[in-house]
Every structure is written in C-alpha cells, then in structure tokens.
Amino acid sequence: GILYKDRWFDLNGRRYYAHPSGQLAQYATTIGNNSYLFWSDHSLARNQIWNHMHFGQDGAMSKGRWVDFNGRRYFAEADGQLAQYYTEIDNNSYLFWSDHSLARNTLWQGRYYGSDGILYKDRWFDLNGRRYYAKSDGMLAQYQNMIDGKEYLFWSDYSLVRDCFWQGNFYGHDGQIVKKRVDQFHRLLLRNMLGIPSSSRSWVTQSEGKRL
C-alpha cells in the first residue's frame, strides 16, 4: 500500500495524522493553525484535559474561550493554559479552583461569585436567608458601613444585622438604624410597635451583644 503523508486518517476508532515525511504525529504537534496532542501510540487526544490544557472533540487545543467539560466550566487562555485562581476576563473578575474549574455560587475569602462565576460588586444580594452587600472592590461589607448615605451594620460573617439592638442602637428589618442610643424604655416600646415578641431569637442583648 501507499505510505500516508500529510493527511489525517482513522483506524480502529482512533484518529491519526501522518506528517509530510510519513511519520505519525506524536505528543504536542501544530498542524495548520491548531495545536494538538497525540498519545505515545500516535492516536489523537480528544475531549481531554491534560497538563493544564483542554483538547476538544476535534482534538484541537482550546484557546481564548470558555469550555464545558464533565459538568464543570473552564476558561482557556490565549496560550491554551486553563485559567486558575483570580482571573480577569472581559472586564469581569472570576475565581478558578486549583483544578481550573470555575467557582460558582461561592462565598470565598470575603467575596461572592454568582451562578455565572462573576464576582459580585457594588450590589446587595441574598444567600441562604441572609442579606449581604458587595462593595465596589468585590469585598463583602463587614461591621459598620455607609451605603448610599445610610448606615448599616454587618456581622463578622458579612451578613446584615437586622431587627436587633447592638451597642445601644436599633437596626430595623432593612438593616438601617431606626434609632441611635436606645434606652431600655424605648427598646420595649420599639418591640411593641414592631410586633416582635421579647423572646424573638432575632434580638440581641445590649450588654452581651449575642443572639438570644
């Protein structure tokens, strides 16, 4: 038979490439404008993540695009390397785990990444029944913060303080200070006006600052 040269061919369910010399491609190989990976047996690697790179169903290395693989999402940089850790893509901030998969619906190191993986910035959001605020740099608000000219208080876990007293101040259901330096009489009055029983677990003691 004629020696195959400079062509693709299929054999026993696998794909191969013969160089112009007739030698079969092996390992990392550039063919035309695409990069490919061939195993030691010369067969084409397809639909694989290998050595921090992704090779698609056609075997071409993914570059400069998003990739969905085994239920997870990845981003291949222009050089083919998969994004890892903190990465800026099209003016958005993302987090990729050590295995290069995209972090989604994740609160990580004081920042929150949504269902699309984009870092929340300059916005309110709700998570597991609690309310949070992501500042313009992406860090979640913590402790005392002025937002749109209004004063709020956030716990150490970044969640908004609501419907409770803290250090003599009362914070309403929207998290805003209703009244500063509330004394014991006005504390009881506020409870009655808002219809919140004194045994409510949402209240905080002024002296101890702990949820009851």
Side-chain angles (χ1 to χ4, degrees):
I2 298 174
L3 176 65
Y4 279 5
K5 294 182 180 181
D6 195 22
R7 59 167 290 183
W8 291 95
F9 67 95
D10 297 296
L11 180 65
N12 296 329
R14 297 186 177 185
R15 193 156 178 78
Y16 301 83
Y17 180 79
H19 287 296
S21 65
Q23 183 69 37
L24 296 182
Q26 192 178 41
Y27 308 126
T29 303
T30 299
I31 302 172
N33 296 320
N34 292 316
S35 301
Y36 298 87
L37 172 68
F38 295 83
W39 302 121
S40 58
D41 66 357
H42 304 283
S43 64
L44 177 67
R46 292 189 285 189
N47 201 28
Q48 296 278 339
I49 287 180
W50 182 83
N51 199 25
H52 314 293
M53 295 172 284
H54 174 262
F55 298 87
Q57 188 59 41
D58 62 356
M61 181 193 296
S62 300
K63 295 181 180 181
R65 70 182 186 91
W66 288 97
V67 173
D68 293 300
F69 180 72
N70 286 346
R72 297 186 178 185
R73 195 157 175 79
Y74 303 82
F75 185 79
E77 305 276 12
D79 62 357
Q81 289 288 311
L82 296 180
Q84 194 176 39
Y85 307 125
Y86 296 107
T87 304
E88 293 286 326
I89 303 170
D90 296 331
N91 297 318
N92 290 315
S93 302
Y94 298 87
L95 171 67
F96 296 85
W97 302 119
S98 58
D99 67 356
H100 303 285
S101 62
L102 178 66
R104 293 188 283 191
N105 297 319
T106 299
L107 198 162
W108 178 256
Q109 294 185 342
R111 299 177 176 88
Y112 185 76
Y113 300 85
S115 59
D116 57 2
I118 297 176
L119 174 65
Y120 278 14
K121 294 181 180 180
D122 198 23
R123 59 168 290 183
W124 290 96
F125 67 97
D126 296 295
L127 180 66
N128 297 329
R130 296 185 179 183
R131 193 155 178 78
Y132 302 83
Y133 183 79
K135 297 188 287 187
S136 58
D137 61 357
M139 289 299 299
L140 298 183
Q142 195 177 37
Y143 309 124
Q144 289 182 320
N145 280 264
M146 294 294 294
I147 302 171
D148 296 330
K150 299 173 183 177
E151 186 176 345
Y152 297 87
L153 179 67
F154 297 82
W155 300 115
S156 59
D157 67 358
Y158 308 103
S159 61
L160 178 66
V161 174
R162 296 191 286 188
D163 294 330
C164 76
F165 289 96
W166 177 257
Q167 295 182 345
N169 302 324
F170 176 71
Y171 296 84
H173 189 68
D174 60 1
Q176 296 180 35
I177 288 184
V178 175
K179 184 174 178 60
K180 291 189 175 184
R181 307 311 303 172
V182 182
D183 58 27
Q184 186 68 24
F185 172 76
H186 287 97
R187 175 187 292 192
L188 294 173
L189 183 62
L190 278 169
R191 278 178 172 158
N192 292 331
M193 290 175 60
L194 295 172
I196 301 176
S198 59
S199 60
S200 172
R201 295 181 63 84
S202 65
W203 296 92
V204 175
T205 65
Q206 181 178 357
S207 60
E208 295 181 2
K210 297 179 180 177
R211 289 189 178 124
L212 296 176

